Amino acid sequence: FFFQAHPGIPDSSTSRGLGDVYKRQVVEDDKDLISLIKFNLKSEGFNVLLSPNGEDGLFTAKEEKPDLILLDWMLPILSGIEVLQRLKNNKDTKSIPVIFITAKGEENDKIRGLNSGADDYKVKPFSTKELIARIKANLRRGKLIPDDKIVCSDIEIDLVSKRVKRQNKIIHLGPIEFRLLHYLCKNQGRVFSRDQLLDNVWGNDVYVEQRTVDVHIRRLRKALNINNLPNIIRTIRSEGYSVEST
């Protein structure tokens, strides 16, 4: 079982908890456990990604740069311990909080897991409420709980009121445009393909054509570029879109 947290997008039409800005990945071969954890995390507002084995989970961690990982010990192909060691030896993933979720409850197992770099250790079976509390505690320790506002160049995004200002002027955005802007600004300087934007803004469970991304990017640019202000959203040919880092 390998679960990853990633920046997600709050639904601008609802008010949710701390899960609003995270995506999670689960790597697990226990389908019942996957369903249980996924359901409870989504109920808390988390986005969830799934991986069926250690090798796939490790690849996804390096590719997606999650905020938090839930990791089972007994995984196919690569064991949880091996995945953990590789994560902690990689400069791009070593700072990601990792919570072990495993049936291995002996003291020596716990010590080995924590000494290998795990930030927390939870033995199965467990309470999903406690698991979510531990996830939030680890995110707080890593200072990953989101601020109320994001500043991106001369744009200010208020995550509580769901308002956007540019040079102190209110910018009126639709729900999708707000979520696009939030995601791009949260990851300033990083280039996202259309598929990545579809997964992170629209979600994995929704089928949307790639060209839909272009339509909403044009709407977002039109709303932001008031009074001929500079365009902060870059188009990278054959790659995707990015917001200039400040």
Side-chain angles (χ1 to χ4, degrees):
F1 172 86
F2 184 89
F3 159 99
Q4 291 176 287
H6 228 343
I9 303 298
D11 184 338
S12 61
S13 65
T14 62
S15 177
R16 293 181 177 174
L18 297 177
D20 284 345
V21 291
Y22 301 103
K23 179 190 291 181
R24 306 290 185 276
Q25 178 190 0
V26 183
V27 185
E28 168 64 91
D29 54 354
D30 184 335
K31 294 182 179 179
D32 291 336
L33 183 58
I34 287 174
S35 297
L36 177 65
I37 292 180
K38 182 177 180 180
F39 174 80
N40 282 276
L41 290 172
K42 281 185 170 290
S43 296
E44 287 288 319
F46 291 112
N47 291 328
V48 180
L49 297 176
L50 305 174
S51 294
N53 57 65
E55 184 177 66
D56 182 81
L58 184 63
F59 173 81
T60 305
K62 293 177 180 179
E63 188 74 14
E64 297 292 340
K65 308 295 189 303
D67 294 317
L68 184 140
I69 296 170
L70 294 183
L71 179 63
D72 191 9
W73 191 308
M74 306 299 290
L75 287 173
I77 305 179
L78 290 178
S79 72
I81 281 289
E82 189 170 358
V83 171
L84 177 63
Q85 290 171 342
R86 293 190 186 188
L87 288 170
K88 295 304 179 181
N89 287 329
N90 186 298
K91 63 181 179 65
D92 294 326
T93 57
K94 65 181 181 180
S95 62
I96 300 172
V98 176
I99 302 177
F100 252 131
I101 299 180
T102 175
K104 297 175 76 67
E106 297 295 324
E107 182 181 36
N108 288 340
D109 294 327
K110 295 178 182 178
I111 291 172
R112 184 183 176 192
L114 293 169
N115 285 343
S116 295
D119 297 271
D120 204 348
Y121 196 104
K122 187 64 186 153
V123 178
K124 304 175 188 176
F126 52 80
S127 159
T128 52
K129 289 183 179 180
E130 181 185 348
L131 176 62
I132 290 170
R134 286 174 180 265
I135 289 171
K136 292 178 180 179
N138 276 274
L139 292 174
R140 283 194 294 270
R141 282 198 292 272
K143 297 183 179 179
L144 292 172
I145 296 301
D147 294 328
D148 290 340
K149 294 182 180 180
I150 295 176
V151 176
C152 180
S153 184
D154 57 352
I155 294 171
E156 181 182 284
I157 305 172
D158 190 317
L159 301 179
V160 176
S161 67
K162 304 295 189 294
R163 289 183 177 178
V164 175
K165 292 182 180 180
R166 186 167 193 185
Q167 295 188 355
N168 292 320
K169 293 183 178 180
I170 295 289
I171 304 295
H172 298 286
L173 299 177
I176 293 296
E177 286 72 37
F178 179 89
R179 291 154 65 183
L180 262 175
L181 180 65
H182 178 201
Y183 188 72
L184 290 170
C185 285
K186 186 72 176 179
N187 298 278
Q188 293 180 53
R190 183 177 172 185
V191 179
F192 292 97
S193 68
R194 292 170 178 82
D195 282 336
Q196 288 174 315
L197 290 174
L198 285 173
D199 287 344
N200 288 287
V201 176
W202 278 263
N204 293 321
D205 300 330
V206 179
Y207 175 75
V208 181
E209 293 184 357
Q210 283 191 348
R211 62 183 179 182
T212 302
V213 175
D214 301 330
V215 171
H216 287 279
I217 288 288
R218 284 198 297 270
R219 290 177 183 173
L220 179 56
R221 281 174 168 159
K222 183 177 180 180
L224 292 176
N225 298 347
I226 55 174
N227 300 326
N228 295 318
L229 288 173
N231 181 20
I232 68 164
I233 301 175
R234 294 190 302 142
T235 299
I236 293 80
R237 189 174 182 180
S238 301
E239 295 292 333
Y241 297 103
S242 176
V243 161
E244 297 280 4
S245 57
T246 55

